[in-house]
Amino acid sequence: IRARLFRAESWVKVMDKGDQGAFHDYLFNPIAKATAQYRLQKVEFVKRYLALVQPLKGTLTSDEIISPELNYKFKGKAQLLGMLLHTGNESNKSKLLRGYQWATQNEDGSLDTTKFDAFISRMQKEGLLTKVDYDFVQGVWDLFEEMKPMAQKAHKSMYGFYFNEVTADEFTTPFGRYRGGYAPAKVDPYANEDASLRAEKELLERSNNSFAFPTAGRGATKSRVEAYAAPLQMDLALVSSHIDWALRFSTIEPAVKAASKMLWNKSFRDSLSAVDPTIRAEMLVP
């Protein structure tokens, strides 16, 4: 109980006898500095995201949007824009259309997107998809693209290689040509049992203290299996959560990995256990 109630900062002060010593330098300061950097960057990126959302004010209604072309009912404009985020590259778009069965596959492996194209065209003509909407979506893609080099640098430092990137694909609308971009292709656990089971498994495999562990996991950096397709999440809330994930992964994760190498070192563990056998498992690791 004493170990669990100890704050890391207080503990390293005790171990360093009140001075800035090795416990500060190798265990506490790197993570504290990374966390401060993450918070500052998050404020900046969230401000920029809010600036992108501002022109949409008053248009994100919850009125249902019925699509007879797709045999689907969108739960409002926000979900429609969440869907649009997956159309910035062929990989996401293919997974979206195949997952919801909004396209059929031709004999040569290409997709027949006639139904989906007809729906998008109607949304544009009826004014439910406007230039403001496409400018917003492109702004989100650009924001994600700007964060990618930070995540690549962190991934290389931790795993020794760069993760595979999904290439943006340009497309044309009545409002102009757009560069396209990437959005995290997360399967909707409410629409797909496989995704729900994976989420439950991940939850069960985590330690009891994992919700407080300042780590993002590898999530969006894992290579895709292109043949697999299931209904994707079409949720604008994923934008802010991906910003948070990318910043955590890029700033906090490398510091956590470096500190954890020490905590799993046998010589260090033995020395620490001789001083306090509970502090590592009950306070430092969590």
Side-chain angles (χ1 to χ4, degrees):
I1 291 172
R2 180 189 58 78
R4 288 186 184 185
L5 294 178
F6 229 136
R7 289 176 60 87
E9 188 172 13
S10 301
W11 182 80
V12 295
K13 281 182 180 177
V14 171
M15 296 302 289
D16 284 332
K17 300 178 181 178
D19 297 323
Q20 286 284 326
F23 284 91
H24 276 87
D25 292 341
Y26 294 104
L27 283 180
F28 184 77
N29 289 350
I31 294 176
K33 183 179 178 181
T35 304
Q37 183 185 358
Y38 150 76
R39 287 173 180 153
L40 289 171
Q41 289 183 339
K42 186 175 180 180
V43 169
E44 179 61 28
F45 275 95
V46 168
K47 275 184 186 176
R48 291 170 59 185
Y49 176 57
L50 290 175
L52 291 174
V53 174
Q54 193 62 31
L56 299 175
K57 193 174 181 180
T59 68
L60 296 176
T61 63
S62 57
D63 299 339
E64 288 184 341
I65 299 171
I66 299 171
S67 170
E69 301 93 337
L70 305 177
N71 192 29
Y72 190 83
K73 191 184 294 181
F74 290 88
K75 299 171 186 175
K77 182 68 175 284
Q79 191 180 32
L80 187 65
L81 292 182
M83 177 272 292
L84 206 61
L85 280 171
H86 292 301
T87 61
N89 64 78
E90 288 303 319
S91 176
N92 273 53
K93 188 175 179 180
S94 174
K95 283 180 174 290
L96 173 77
L97 300 188
R98 287 183 293 125
Y100 284 101
Q101 298 181 347
W102 291 345
T104 54
Q105 201 151 17
N106 299 317
E107 289 184 5
D108 63 358
S110 62
L111 285 181
D112 180 357
T113 63
T114 305
K115 294 186 292 184
F116 181 75
D117 295 339
F119 169 67
I120 293 295
S121 180
R122 181 169 66 83
M123 291 294 97
Q124 293 168 348
K125 288 175 183 175
E126 293 180 2
L128 280 167
L129 284 177
T130 67
K131 185 178 189 306
V132 172
D133 298 324
Y134 280 95
D135 288 349
F136 162 75
V137 170
Q138 185 62 62
V140 172
W141 288 329
D142 291 346
L143 209 59
F144 288 169
E145 187 66 26
E146 190 177 331
M147 302 169 82
K148 202 182 288 180
M150 296 187 295
Q152 284 283 28
K153 183 179 178 182
H155 194 280
K156 181 70 162 62
S157 71
M158 290 185 287
Y159 303 109
F161 61 95
Y162 297 110
F163 58 81
N164 293 330
E165 296 188 16
V166 177
T167 306
D169 292 295
E170 288 188 356
F171 61 95
T172 303
T173 73
F175 321 110
R177 191 158 183 79
Y178 289 87
R179 293 181 298 279
Y182 161 81
K186 293 188 176 181
V187 175
D188 188 345
Y190 296 103
N192 182 264
E193 186 181 13
D194 288 348
S196 181
L197 290 171
R198 279 200 303 275
E200 289 177 8
K201 186 171 181 286
E202 287 174 8
L203 188 64
L204 288 170
E205 287 177 349
R206 291 175 187 161
S207 65
N208 293 332
N209 300 297
S210 63
F211 66 90
F213 199 78
T215 182
R218 291 174 63 190
T221 68
K222 292 182 179 177
S223 296
R224 294 179 166 201
V225 179
E226 292 297 337
Y228 180 79
L232 300 181
Q233 289 184 351
M234 301 181 290
D235 187 356
L236 277 188
L238 287 177
V239 175
S240 54
S241 66
H242 184 69
I243 289 172
D244 183 75
W245 174 87
L247 293 177
R248 281 177 178 268
F249 182 86
S250 303
T251 56
I252 299 177
E253 188 88 358
V256 169
K257 290 282 185 187
S260 67
K261 285 180 182 178
M262 293 187 60
L263 297 182
W264 265 264
N265 177 274
K266 188 176 187 307
S267 176
F268 183 78
R269 287 202 324 261
D270 292 344
S271 298
L272 201 58
S273 294
V275 177
D276 189 330
T278 61
I279 203 71
R280 176 187 165 276
E282 301 295 341
M283 188 276 284
L284 285 172
V285 171

